[in-house]
Amino acid sequence: MQKHLVIIGTVWPEPNSTAAGSRMLQLIDLFQKQNFKITFLCSAAKTDFSFDLQQLNIVTESIELNSESFNEQIALLQPDVVLYDRFMTEEQYGWRVKEVCPNALTVLDTEDLHFLRKARAIAFKQNRELVFKDYISDIFKRELASIYRCDLSLIISEYEMELLTQTFKVDASILHYLPFLVDEINSNQPKFSERKHFVSIGNFLHEPNWQTVLQLKKLWKSIKKELPEAELHIYGAYATDKVFQLHNEKEGFLIKGRANSVGEVFRNARVLLAPIPFGAGLKGKLLESMQFGLPNVTSTIGAEAMQFDSLWNGCITDDENDFVAKAIQLYSDENLWNENQQKGYTILENKFNTDLFQKEFSEKIEYLLNNLKEHRQQNFLGQVFNHQSMQSTKFMSKWIELKNSIQ
């Protein structure tokens, strides 16, 4: 009998706007290769940029927040596996799933560790090094509780796997390393001489992307001085007025807004600039820069957990003067540029190729479906969190539901 996966999403996937949207389509592909039937549930409104999941034979249904109607929906669907697209989604619906479908395998896709991103943001804004107490926020407690409540959490970065297992002693049996995935590596990309200008890209709903553009505004004049013909084209979905105010034709600092095609933008550009000051997980823009043969200059945070054997398809530096020098050198030196383009293909093949992960992931899901009771008995902290901490979420949701029904 065909198994049924229900995905509960905070938003409908937008693969052309966010790395999270691309990630969701990769997970869908992995489950479809295991012959799962898939239903996608979401309470958000669809936008013009939402991916049409019906193209992939996925049933889509809207759900209501804080409503008993969800219990009826999930009862009718009778999923074998439930996947939450981030920990806030699990907080909202997890207790309902546990009540109605207690035997469903629950999987959390962390996207990246929100508490890590938050800790780094605090340290960055206070202009200091991160210290251990920065981790221990409300988000940390909520996210760790969600990881423990789920049967399996997907971790996108080796750095984050190590942080969870070594620093916070989370049992590796409830975690699974699954990075961004690449099916095909096409090295037939435009040559150095066929490209011009610098590029930067990032969805502006994501705070690190805004901070990256502010960094670039500070650095660009020094690059432009040495390369007067070059321009910096900045793309990103959901750009606000404050972003467009940085646009300056005379300086060659051009805010372009949403990119219709990342592939087209990246194939035309010569160098990607990504001085990312804080964040977590893996950076989708840097993976795509490798895919489209576009070398980059980025920060330590940008390249975190993405190198293979110390290789990088460009330069990694946190020093502003060095960043400027490396950007100019990479833009001007064809031999150096070609070497770094090839390094990108090597990284993709050895670090992100779908074939490296598909079989192990499939076997993990199969094992958990067949041994769920024993797995949960081993995860005794999960039992504690499911018993205790969900009660507060449950009764808050029940209170909102009652309040809404009275209005």
Side-chain angles (χ1 to χ4, degrees), residues 270-294:
R270 189 176 289 176
V271 174
L272 171 75
L273 298 180
I276 299 165
F278 64 91
L282 302 180
K283 310 303 176 290
K285 62 175 84 49
L286 297 180
L287 185 87
E288 289 175 319
S289 82
M290 297 180 207
Q291 289 178 280
F292 297 113
L294 173 64

Side-chain angles (χ1 to χ4, degrees), residues 295 312-313 334-344:
W312 188 246
N313 66 318
E334 185 170 356
N335 288 333
L336 179 67
W337 189 93
N338 286 332
E339 282 173 27
N340 282 290
Q341 186 187 60
Q342 291 304 316
K343 286 177 187 175

Side-chain angles (χ1 to χ4, degrees), residues 388-402:
Q388 293 290 347
S389 61
M390 286 310 282
Q391 298 303 312
S392 58
T393 311
K394 173 179 175 178
F395 289 116
M396 173 61 81
S397 185
K398 288 278 192 187
W399 178 78
I400 295 168
E401 190 179 333
L402 180 63

Side-chain angles (χ1 to χ4, degrees), residues 38 119 131 207 283 321 332 339 371:
I38 302 178
V131 293
E207 175 68 12
K283 310 303 176 290
N321 293 330
S332 309
E339 282 173 27
N371 299 276

Side-chain angles (χ1 to χ4, degrees), residues 16 66 105 239 270 301 321 376 378:
N16 293 328
N66 302 306
L105 171 67
R270 189 176 289 176
I301 292 285
N321 293 330
R376 286 178 175 172
Q378 294 296 315

Side-chain angles (χ1 to χ4, degrees), residues 41-52:
L41 307 179
C42 186
S43 64
K46 289 181 181 176
T47 72
D48 293 341
F49 307 103
S50 300
F51 185 84
D52 181 10

Side-chain angles (χ1 to χ4, degrees), residues 228-262:
E229 299 302 312
E231 297 171 354
L232 174 55
H233 297 180
I234 294 178
Y235 290 87
Y238 304 105
T240 56
D241 287 344
K242 72 176 181 180
V243 180
F244 282 107
Q245 281 167 13
L246 298 178
H247 182 89
N248 188 315
E249 295 270 352
K250 191 177 170 187
E251 290 177 3
F253 193 92
L254 310 178
I255 307 295
K256 297 282 192 173
R258 183 186 288 271
N260 292 325
S261 164
V262 174

Side-chain angles (χ1 to χ4, degrees), residues 100-210:
V100 180
C101 305
N103 297 320
L105 171 67
T106 55
V107 180
L108 170 64
D109 185 36
T110 55
E111 302 284 358
D112 56 42
L113 291 179
H114 293 66
F115 78 81
L116 175 60
R117 193 197 313 160
K118 168 93 172 172
R120 285 173 168 169
I122 289 168
F124 170 76
K125 286 171 182 175
Q126 295 179 6
N127 196 26
R128 59 171 175 78
E129 292 294 310
L130 183 145
V131 293
F132 184 81
K133 70 177 184 181
D134 293 327
Y135 291 131
I136 314 302
S137 61
D138 285 348
I139 286 179
F140 167 80
K141 294 164 193 170
R142 290 169 56 197
E143 191 163 24
L144 262 286
S146 183
I147 286 171
Y148 276 113
R149 284 193 298 266
C150 288
D151 298 312
L152 189 69
S153 290
L154 306 179
I155 311 300
I156 205 165
S157 150
E158 288 170 320
Y159 177 88
E160 294 179 2
M161 277 292 285
E162 190 172 322
L163 183 67
L164 288 171
T165 55
Q166 301 301 312
T167 304
F168 296 109
K169 309 301 179 191
V170 178
D171 196 305
S173 67
I174 62 170
L175 306 175
H176 188 79
Y177 169 59
L178 191 69
F180 288 139
L181 303 174
V182 176
D183 279 336
E184 291 179 21
I185 298 160
N186 178 11
S187 58
N188 184 23
Q189 301 293 341
K191 299 180 180 66
F192 176 89
S193 59
E194 297 169 332
R195 300 168 178 256
K196 62 180 181 177
H197 303 316
F198 292 89
V199 70
S200 182
I201 196 165
N203 161 25
F204 285 104
L205 295 178
H206 193 51
E207 175 68 12
N209 290 330
W210 165 240

